[in-house]
Amino acid sequence: MRLCLLLLLLALCGAGIPAAARSLSLRGSWRIRSGNGSLELPGEVPGCVHSALLQRSLIQDPYYRFNDLNYRWISLDNWTYSKEFKIPFDISQWQKVNLIFESVDTVAEVLLNNVSIGKTNNMFKRYSFDITGVVKAVNFLELRFQSPVLYAAQQSRAHTLYQVPPNCPPSVQKGECHVNFIRKEQCSFSWDWGPAFPTQGIWKDVRIEAYNICHLNYFTFSPLYDNHAQEWNLEIESSFDVVSSKPVSAQVIVEIPKLQTQQTYSIELQPGKRIVELFVKINKNITVETWWPHGHGNQTGYNMTILFKLDKDLNFKKSAKTSRAQQRASLVCHPAQARLRRALCGVPALVFPILLPVIALSEQTERTVELIEEPIEGSPGLSFYFKINGFPIFLKGSNWIPADSFQDRVNSELLRLLLQSVVDVNMNTLRVWGGGIYEQDEFYELCDDLGIMVWQDFMFACALYPTDRDFMDSVRMEVTYQVRRLKSHPSIITWSGNNENEAALMMNWYHIDVSHMGTYIKDYVKLYVKNIRKVVLAEDKTRPFITSSPTNGAESIAEGWLSANPYNTKFGDIHFYDYISDCWDWNIFPKARFASEYGYQSWPSFSTLEKVSTKEDWSYKSRFSLHRQHHENGNDQMLLQAGLHFKLPQSPDPLRSFKDTIYLTQVMQAQCVKTETEFYRRSRSEIVNGEGHTMGALYWQLNDIWQAPSWASLEYGGKWKMLHYFARHFFAPLLPVGFENQSMFFIYGVSDLRLDCNVTLTVRVHTWHSLEPLCSRATKHFVMKAGEAVLLYQERVPELLRRCGNCTRQSCVVSFYLSTDSKLLSSANYHFLSSLKEAVGLQKAHITAIISQQEDTFVFDLETSAVAPFVWLDVGNVPGRFSDNGFLMTEKTRTVFFYPWKPTSKSELEQSFRVSSLTDIY
């Protein structure tokens, strides 16, 4: 169940006072000035300096060619934001006035009317400054920023007791140093897939709040299920700032119409900061529906109204109604034990006389998101999987990074596009990676709506961190704020302390002397266990907390929070990367309990690169191509992996060769990640040599931060790479998986379905030179068990080839699918019997397309002259996606649909359309 919150506040303001509270937004136009005053310009808030300079055409697109280096001077300067504003009400009528920054990026001194009122140094905190004695009718507000690069270096130098590595990123990343000394988006100093753009600015909302009597600081509630009474309950917690000199009496009315629940409470608020706790019983005669992840059920919601009525004589009333998603709370019911899941989301301050600055739902000890770590029969170690509502769910998805270096460019349309692309390919999970940001509210609201589970890292990644008092205090406030803001969302299923820092320390990435290791281990436990974990458990007891990813989970805890081998496949989760071994060989992959990172690089499409490059850049070994690659030897590794199974492009035309190479890197990436993901999915129900019971596959990475080679399946801006199209198949709820082991061909059936189903498996063999199948075999009907991966078919490859006649490994390809009563239940999968560079009979396919329109969708009727592997349909810069792409075409005709993201036409598509397949690059 999810509760959509509508808060009403009735408040007695006192004689002659017109309202309980007033708010003034300071969004909009500000002035921005460089450190020496030589440059001054208007800039928008929310926003940053880079965006302001771009909007005034004072710089080019920061992503164009080498501008990440050319514009380093922006991050090295100390900028000042200023704004003059009038208060549109009589300020003398208000007992308390606060200046609220939802977030500041990052290090700044705040001055109002030339009086310093505070400082900021953490991008992930909300700041509130009491300006009651400083604010006037007309005001001048300044934020004097310090360069984050210079600040980080300064903090590092001040830490004289011992080094806190790493000092700087690898030179190939072209980044800035000492990012671990500043509480700022860690990848803004560069990463192996992104540029260095350490921004400065007011990147979230800013406002003035004035109030009398009392003020609601934050609001949380916890849905719980009482097993004995067989009823739902809500625990409500409200925090007030009572500025009245006398106690304030109030009534609280809670109403959930669809659950036929209404209760009234009387409270009395004493002066000062006060917490009010209430307990609401839900009508036990009403069935409560549950929130489920995508593919497993509905994301049900309910409306709830909370009315705070302060002093009955008041004849003033205002309703604060935000968007449906902003006010959502959720309960998730355990079908067996009928226990509750969770919660309401944070509601930002509303620009009404009634202010609701922080509203968040919490939950107590009962929950139905469970991380199961228990013994497995036939295996040492422990399981590692999640139960939602008591049901084990295989987590299918990817890892989310910031969608842009400049967060003011990440709008609702882009978030919707990217997250819709997640569920469109059967994913149910995203891991919000710990080197980026805690995402904006709308991200989590969309995940709630779409049923996307979120594995939420705290923002610490690939580094050790200082643990001095100021740093720890800042982190504590950051974590408290973020947990209160985010814990309401049913989509968030776990907190994780950091990205790869347990592994970094215990595998000694930074070559720490053994005699000093104890100091760093102590710091690790101090930061993630005694600080972050302590805060999380106090604020949110409804979700598991994992200290790191990867981790051995319970085994790491048993070893003192750090495991000697964090990559142990018999515990916890793993990250796995191997760019040298043959990715078509499934034996290279770890049969782990949970794979939370793995992947291969590819280049984005030419139409994406073309926007930020020029003709001289369009070759694989150009200065631009080398500059854009931030992973050591990444371009060579892609060609090495591709060359294991494909002929490399040989065109004498540099541009043609570049485009062909881009295409081939996408083919390689898609095929590699397909092979690895299918391995993890078929390993969910078996133990082999003590390994297996894999219950999660989150490949690295979902999205791109700029136009460059990376592990992403979605290019910058959202265009689908071949990998993303493949993901729709390898994450399908019902999937046949084929593989070989010692010349034996196996097909497993993998089901994420909630119910058993009757199916037939059909296995076909084609020669490369014919569109007619050489042979076909169908099994009898059998029952595919829900939530299992089981062996369906096996045959020795020599026997398969003999049975089909006139067939060799090099001349034939195997395809297979699941059906019932001649109706497809799965898309066709395939298995290559040899490398395609050794394929015999593979002909150059001539593929044509007839385009027609059906309402807002376009139909591409394809016809091919020959079997065509990796058929790629491209419409250049026309935004949208196909229903399928990168496919093996073994039949003469095929129909594919194009879903445009913006209005287009048949003629525009015909002009932009290009089709190619593997043999076109030879």
Side-chain angles (χ1 to χ4, degrees):
M1 181 181 81
R2 301 195 309 180
L3 297 177
C4 301
L5 177 67
L6 173 62
L7 262 163
L8 304 177
L9 182 62
L10 293 175
L12 176 62
C13 308
I17 300 177
R22 294 292 297 269
S23 177
L24 173 67
S25 174
L26 298 181
R27 297 168 68 104
S29 183
W30 287 53
R31 299 296 297 177
I32 301 176
R33 186 176 69 252
S34 63
N36 63 9
S38 62
L39 188 59
E40 187 168 348
L41 66 151
E44 288 296 308
V45 169
C48 68
V49 174
H50 288 81
S51 294
L53 292 168
L54 179 61
Q55 288 161 5
R56 304 300 294 183
S57 299
L58 295 173
I59 61 172
Q60 295 176 306
D61 180 354
Y63 286 170
Y64 183 71
R65 301 195 77 205
F66 309 99
N67 281 343
D68 56 318
L69 299 184
N70 296 336
Y71 295 155
R72 283 190 66 196
W73 61 271
I74 300 171
S75 300
L76 295 173
D77 204 349
N78 300 319
W79 297 84
T80 296
Y81 272 65
S82 62
K83 184 180 183 69
E84 186 175 292
F85 63 94
K86 295 179 180 180
I87 301 291
F89 46 84
D90 185 355
I91 202 69
S92 66
Q93 297 292 308
W94 301 95
Q95 295 171 286
K96 186 77 170 283
V97 185
N98 289 331
L99 173 63
I100 307 293
F101 292 93
E102 288 301 325
S103 189
V104 176
D105 180 17
T106 296
V107 182
E109 181 181 12
V110 184
L111 297 94
L112 181 63
N113 301 324
N114 295 316
V115 176
S116 179
I117 59 171
K119 295 182 177 181
T120 70
N121 63 3
N122 189 321
M123 182 181 181
F124 308 124
K125 282 170 52 181
R126 180 177 183 266
Y127 287 91
S128 178
F129 301 107
D130 184 349
I131 59 171
T132 309
V134 184
V135 67
K136 302 175 183 178
V138 179
N139 300 273
F140 183 69
L141 178 61
E142 271 191 320
L143 275 75
R144 298 175 182 173
F145 285 90
Q146 181 180 354
S147 160
V149 178
L150 300 181
Y151 172 85
Q154 179 186 79
Q155 295 299 113
S156 176
R157 288 194 300 271
H159 195 280
T160 56
L161 292 178
Y162 50 89
Q163 291 287 310
V164 184
N167 289 326
C168 299
S171 59
V172 70
Q173 293 182 17
K174 308 162 190 71
E176 305 292 356
C177 300
H178 308 297
V179 70
N180 49 341
F181 278 89
I182 183 171
R183 292 310 299 142
K184 177 176 171 59
E185 178 183 13
Q186 299 290 276
C187 66
S188 68
F189 276 44
S190 81
W191 217 262
D192 56 3
W193 37 255
F197 282 111
T199 48
Q200 297 176 51
I202 305 170
W203 73 294
K204 290 191 177 182
D205 192 37
V206 55
R207 64 189 177 277
I208 301 289
E209 292 180 351
Y211 52 93
N212 292 311
I213 311 297
C214 70
H215 179 66
L216 181 62
N217 290 325
Y218 71 84
F219 176 96
T220 71
F221 63 87
S222 305
L224 301 171
Y225 191 81
D226 187 329
N227 285 300
H228 298 291
Q230 295 289 292
E231 64 185 10
W232 295 94
N233 302 306
L234 291 176
E235 290 185 352
I236 297 176
E237 180 178 294
S238 309
S239 171
F240 291 91
D241 180 16
V242 182
V243 294
S244 169
S245 59
K246 298 179 180 179
V248 178
S249 298
Q251 276 191 329
V252 184
I253 303 171
V254 181
E255 184 176 7
I256 310 172
K258 285 191 176 181
L259 296 181
Q260 299 179 18
T261 296
Q262 178 175 323
Q263 294 182 33
T264 303
Y265 306 84
S266 296
I267 62 173
E268 184 173 83
L269 302 174
Q270 298 295 325
K273 298 287 196 301
R274 297 301 170 195
I275 301 293
V276 175
E277 296 179 341
L278 303 172
F279 191 79
V280 180
K281 289 181 178 292
I282 304 298
N283 188 328
K284 66 187 298 182
N285 298 318
I286 303 298
T287 300
V288 176
E289 297 184 27
T290 60
W291 183 95
W292 284 95
H294 176 68
H296 292 273
N298 297 325
Q299 294 76 53
T300 306
Y302 296 90
N303 291 323
M304 179 174 73
T305 300
I306 309 290
L307 171 65
F308 290 91
K309 189 175 182 181
L310 308 183
D311 287 334
K312 298 177 182 178
D313 299 335
L314 180 66
N315 202 19
F316 169 79
K317 178 179 178 180
K318 271 283 189 177
S319 66
K321 186 174 182 180
T322 63
S323 71
R324 175 173 59 91
Q326 280 180 317
Q327 301 171 358
R328 183 143 304 141
S330 297
L331 306 179
V332 181
C333 177
H334 190 305
Q337 301 175 2
R339 293 185 299 172
L340 170 73
R341 174 65 183 100
R342 75 166 47 87
L344 172 78
C345 67
V347 177
L350 301 163
V351 186
F352 281 102
I354 291 73
L355 292 179
L356 308 173
V358 179
I359 298 173
L361 176 77
S362 65
E363 182 176 63
Q364 299 298 324
T365 56
E366 297 294 332
R367 69 175 185 272
T368 62
V369 171
E370 301 168 90
L371 174 58
I372 306 301
E373 298 182 85
E374 61 188 13
I376 302 173
E377 184 178 351
S379 173
L382 299 172
S383 65
F384 190 92
Y385 68 93
F386 290 88
K387 279 186 177 180
I388 308 298
N389 301 329
F391 186 80
I393 292 184
F394 190 106
L395 272 57
K396 305 180 295 187
S398 189
N399 288 260
W400 173 275
I401 67 167
D404 204 296
S405 293
F406 312 105
Q407 280 296 309
D408 51 290
R409 303 203 295 204
V410 182
N411 56 29
S412 299
E413 180 183 11
L414 178 60
L415 283 177
R416 167 65 71 173
L417 187 157
L418 294 175
L419 293 177
Q420 185 63 49
S421 294
V422 169
V423 295
D424 283 348
V425 296
N426 298 304
M427 294 184 184
N428 61 27
T429 306
L430 286 178
R431 173 173 171 251
V432 177
W433 169 75
I437 62 170
Y438 306 95
E439 282 296 330
Q440 56 185 277
D441 291 337
E442 188 170 3
F443 173 90
Y444 300 98
E445 291 157 12
L446 286 167
C447 288
D448 291 344
D449 287 343
L450 295 169
I452 301 170
M453 293 179 285
V454 174
W455 172 315
Q456 179 66 54
D457 280 2
F458 289 99
M459 295 301 119
F460 303 85
C462 297
L464 307 185
Y465 288 85
T467 57
D468 57 88
R469 178 177 295 179
D470 288 346
F471 189 88
M472 296 288 279
D473 287 346
S474 181
V475 168
R476 188 176 301 111
M477 288 185 283
E478 166 192 329
V479 172
T480 300
Y481 169 66
Q482 294 296 343
V483 172
R484 287 177 179 172
R485 180 175 76 94
L486 299 177
K487 68 181 179 179
S488 60
H489 293 281
S491 52
I492 299 176
I493 63 166
T494 190
W495 306 105
S496 178
N498 63 73
N499 173 74
E500 298 187 342
N501 293 347
E502 179 180 347
L505 185 55
M506 299 311 290
M507 307 308 288
N508 204 6
W509 291 2
Y510 308 120
H511 310 293
I512 296 168
D513 189 283
V514 176
S515 63
H516 299 148
M517 186 63 75
T519 297
Y520 295 98
I521 291 175
K522 182 180 178 181
D523 280 357
Y524 181 95
V525 174
K526 183 178 180 182
L527 176 58
Y528 301 112
V529 180
K530 296 181 178 180
N531 191 357
I532 295 176
R533 180 177 180 271
K534 182 178 179 180
V535 171
V536 172
L537 294 185
E539 294 291 335
D540 180 17
K541 298 179 177 65
T542 70
R543 301 169 177 85
F545 174 82
I546 304 164
T547 51
S548 186
S549 178
T551 182
N552 286 346
E555 175 62 21
S556 289
I557 296 173
E559 294 182 41
W561 301 101
L562 292 126
S563 185
N565 176 21
Y567 293 101
N568 191 326
T569 56
K570 298 178 180 66
F571 299 93
D573 65 319
I574 58 98
H575 297 183
F576 177 79
Y577 297 96
D578 182 349
Y579 310 113
I580 307 303
S581 301
D582 182 359
C583 77
W584 287 25
D585 179 6
W586 57 267
N587 290 286
I588 72 170
F589 305 128
K591 206 172 185 72
R593 306 297 193 218
F594 194 110
S596 52
E597 276 194 31
Y598 60 96
Y600 294 83
Q601 280 198 325
S602 71
W603 274 79
S605 62
F606 181 76
S607 60
T608 296
L609 289 169
E610 189 177 19
K611 300 169 187 174
V612 292
S613 59
T614 190
K615 186 175 181 179
E616 67 184 271
D617 301 326
W618 298 339
S619 71
Y620 197 71
K621 295 188 177 181
S622 69
R623 178 172 164 245
F624 172 82
S625 294
L626 294 174
H627 173 78
R628 223 66 174 185
Q629 175 59 265
H630 282 199
H631 169 61
E632 191 73 47
N633 299 320
N635 289 349
D636 291 339
Q637 289 170 353
M638 280 184 273
L639 293 185
L640 173 67
Q641 190 64 237
L644 295 176
H645 298 287
F646 305 101
K647 298 176 183 177
L648 298 182
Q650 300 295 325
S651 174
D653 177 4
L655 180 57
R656 170 69 186 277
S657 179
F658 185 48
K659 291 181 178 180
D660 289 348
T661 303
I662 289 172
Y663 163 81
L664 189 59
T665 66
Q666 291 205 18
V667 169
M668 175 275 297
Q669 179 196 39
Q671 188 66 20
C672 287
V673 177
K674 171 185 185 291
T675 305
E676 187 166 359
T677 304
E678 290 181 345
F679 169 75
Y680 295 136
R681 291 199 66 192
R682 67 177 169 85
S683 298
R684 69 173 290 168
S685 301
E686 67 180 11
I687 293 292
V688 178
N689 297 323
E691 297 179 321
H693 273 216
T694 308
M695 284 296 288
L698 310 178
Y699 67 73
W700 185 269
Q701 67 207 65
L702 177 75
N703 55 314
D704 261 334
I705 199 170
W706 71 334
Q707 307 91 336
S710 78
W711 294 257
S713 62
L714 295 177
E715 299 176 6
Y716 177 76
K719 186 172 183 176
W720 289 24
K721 287 183 179 178
M722 192 178 294
L723 169 57
H724 208 74
Y725 287 101
F726 274 41
R728 191 176 71 85
H729 299 290
F730 62 62
F731 280 145
L734 194 62
L735 173 71
V737 176
F739 65 99
E740 285 186 53
N741 188 23
Q742 297 180 346
S743 294
M744 182 69 78
F745 177 56
F746 298 91
I747 298 178
Y748 271 49
V750 181
S751 173
D752 286 332
L753 301 176
R754 301 290 298 275
L755 299 173
D756 298 348
C757 58
N758 294 312
V759 301
T760 296
L761 172 70
T762 300
V763 182
R764 289 181 172 178
V765 176
H766 278 82
T767 61
W768 286 118
H769 63 75
S770 175
L771 290 165
E772 294 297 325
L774 190 62
C775 65
S776 179
R777 171 177 286 185
T779 66
K780 295 180 180 179
H781 279 331
F782 59 90
V783 175
M784 185 70 224
K785 289 288 187 180
E788 291 188 8
V790 295
L791 178 64
L792 304 181
Y793 179 91
Q794 69 181 71
E795 185 175 9
R796 292 191 60 78
V797 174
E799 176 58 30
L800 172 67
L801 297 175
R802 281 194 298 270
R803 177 169 60 80
C804 288
N806 196 30
C807 203
T808 67
R809 280 185 173 274
Q810 292 73 31
S811 66
C812 290
V813 59
V814 183
S815 64
F816 40 93
Y817 59 88
L818 297 171
S819 62
T820 181
D821 299 326
S822 300
K823 180 182 177 182
L824 278 178
L825 291 178
S826 75
S827 55
N829 206 343
Y830 57 84
H831 175 71
F832 297 132
L833 296 167
S834 73
S835 296
L836 268 70
K837 67 181 180 181
E838 300 168 353
V840 174
L842 188 59
Q843 302 170 7
K844 191 174 183 65
H846 177 64
I847 304 172
T848 59
I850 297 176
I851 304 174
S852 58
Q853 186 171 358
Q854 293 180 357
E855 296 182 345
D856 295 332
T857 301
F858 293 86
V859 182
F860 286 66
D861 289 311
L862 306 176
E863 185 173 322
T864 182
S865 62
V867 173
F870 304 106
V871 174
W872 185 244
L873 314 177
D874 188 70
V875 289
N877 288 313
V878 179
R881 70 163 180 92
F882 290 94
S883 57
D884 200 6
N885 215 343
F887 46 80
L888 172 65
M889 195 165 179
T890 57
E891 297 178 335
K892 188 174 183 63
T893 61
R894 181 165 183 158
T895 298
V896 177
F897 299 96
F898 180 74
Y899 307 108
W901 294 331
K902 293 182 179 179
T904 186
S905 64
K906 176 184 172 183
S907 60
E908 183 182 25
L909 288 172
E910 287 174 337
Q911 292 173 11
S912 304
F913 179 66
R914 300 289 182 275
V915 59
S916 56
S917 65
L918 186 65
T919 54
D920 290 325
I921 72 171
Y922 296 159

